[in-house]
Amino acid sequence: MTDYPPATWRLLITPPTDGATNMAVDEAILFAQAEGAGCPTLRFYRWGPPCLSLGYNEPCADVDEAACNRLGYTWVRRPTGGRAILHTDELTYSVVASAEEPRVTGGIVESYRRLSTGLLTGLRALGADVFQAQTEKVVNPDQGAACFDTPSNYEITVSGKKLVGSAQVRRRGMVLQHGTLPLVGDLTRIFDCLRRTGSPLPDSNLPPDVDHRRVDLLARACTLEWVLGREVPFDEVADALTQGFASALKLQLEPGQLSDYERSLVERLRDEQYANDDWNRRI
């Protein structure tokens, strides 16, 4: 275990809110810290209504907007990279800290490794037999737009299936990492709101009328309910992960709330960026 110096971070557990607000909150925390008006923060949150998030450089043409409207889903573009995620029935976490913080120093992969030890410790306390993926990720051009079909280095897996997907951005001398832990439900729902792209793999034995994307995703990803054989409430998972981060990273986590300044940043970022069609449709 890395011998980290003791540190105190803020713990935020925020109520369910829309996707534009959730992304604005993560970035507002980053901006406030960069300006010396914030503090290192671990946040757990949910989404309401369900929201499809696109990676920073993902084309908006991947979104089936008519289907989103019909299903009551919203969509937003994340500040981090990667591909589309449908946020519903999940726990989402975010970490925001200075790039000089010992727990996130170095490259992205190394900081993934360090932060994922908090996830590992918390999930193992719940009874999940989880591991850190160690693989050179190769992007298949026919893989499609969904994020959860292939683990990156040090993402969390169970029996080779991806359980937690994470993404990171570094800006203004700060690190923002956030990720999603599906708790229950059908992971293939994401394809109900994505346009169909790509084609079956050459060695696929599936009949032509079967959506290979759904079969592939279920072979590569899972929910916490699938892992444990029981549904675990959000609050129980958040508590376990809080203890996991505290133990693995030698943190004192102090419950807190957004400052007035951070709230003002949230309103501005939401209006100017995450709830703005020009931002979401820029690619």
Side-chain angles (χ1 to χ4, degrees):
M1 180 182 291
T2 304
D3 188 20
Y4 299 112
T8 299
W9 287 14
R10 176 178 57 173
L11 173 67
L12 291 180
I13 302 180
T14 52
T17 192
D18 62 274
T21 300
N22 270 329
M23 294 299 89
V25 169
D26 278 351
E27 193 159 14
I29 295 169
L30 183 152
F31 282 7
Q33 282 191 61
E35 295 166 10
C39 57
T41 299
L42 171 65
R43 176 182 174 227
F44 298 117
Y45 56 99
R46 288 173 279 183
W47 307 64
C51 180
L52 182 75
S53 76
L54 298 185
Y56 185 82
N57 289 316
E58 186 173 4
C60 65
D62 286 344
V63 181
D64 186 335
E65 294 189 50
C68 284
N69 291 335
R70 184 175 67 253
L71 294 164
Y73 298 167
T74 59
W75 68 279
V76 69
R77 185 176 296 280
R78 299 190 303 270
T80 53
R83 291 174 297 159
I85 302 172
L86 178 62
H87 301 280
T88 183
D89 301 325
E90 70 174 47
L91 176 146
T92 309
Y93 81 90
S94 66
V95 169
V96 184
S98 166
E100 297 180 356
E101 218 293 342
R103 294 153 184 86
V104 298
T105 54
I108 289 177
V109 171
E110 176 60 19
S111 58
Y112 262 41
R113 183 192 66 78
R114 294 191 187 111
L115 293 177
S116 70
T117 61
L119 298 167
L120 282 172
T121 303
L123 289 166
R124 285 173 176 168
L126 288 171
D129 189 20
V130 289
F131 295 91
Q132 293 176 325
Q134 298 187 40
T135 178
E136 291 299 323
K137 186 173 183 179
V138 178
V139 176
N140 180 341
D142 290 329
Q143 202 166 33
C147 179
F148 250 76
D149 49 11
T150 306
S152 298
N153 273 309
Y154 299 115
E155 290 188 316
I156 306 302
T157 63
V158 177
S159 301
K161 292 176 179 275
K162 183 172 178 176
L163 178 61
V164 183
S166 300
Q168 189 180 114
V169 65
R170 296 181 175 224
R171 188 175 298 153
R172 299 190 179 188
M174 307 299 300
V175 173
L176 162 61
Q177 179 169 309
H178 53 195
T180 181
L181 167 61
L183 301 179
V184 299
D186 180 5
L187 294 176
T188 70
R189 286 175 290 180
I190 188 172
F191 298 117
D192 295 334
C193 52
L194 288 175
R195 297 187 186 279
R196 186 160 186 165
T197 58
S199 57
L201 299 178
D203 59 350
S204 175
N205 294 318
L206 296 174
D209 60 339
V210 173
D211 189 341
H212 72 95
R213 303 173 303 169
R214 297 175 189 266
V215 176
D216 289 346
L217 181 58
L218 291 177
R220 298 171 183 266
C222 60
T223 66
L224 187 61
E225 182 182 33
W226 181 88
V227 173
L228 297 178
R230 68 182 179 97
E231 182 175 339
V232 188
F234 174 93
D235 290 343
E236 183 180 343
V237 180
D239 183 64
L241 293 181
T242 297
Q243 299 306 315
F245 273 90
S247 174
L249 300 178
K250 295 187 178 179
L251 292 171
Q252 180 72 31
L253 292 167
E254 297 289 347
Q257 58 186 1
L258 294 173
S259 67
D260 289 342
Y261 179 58
E262 286 170 325
R263 292 181 191 277
S264 70
L265 288 174
V266 170
E267 292 180 7
R268 178 170 64 82
L269 286 164
R270 187 185 190 285
D271 292 344
E272 295 179 1
Q273 190 163 305
Y274 295 108
N276 186 319
D277 280 350
D278 289 342
W279 161 257
N280 287 319
R281 301 179 193 280
R282 64 184 180 80
I283 297 175

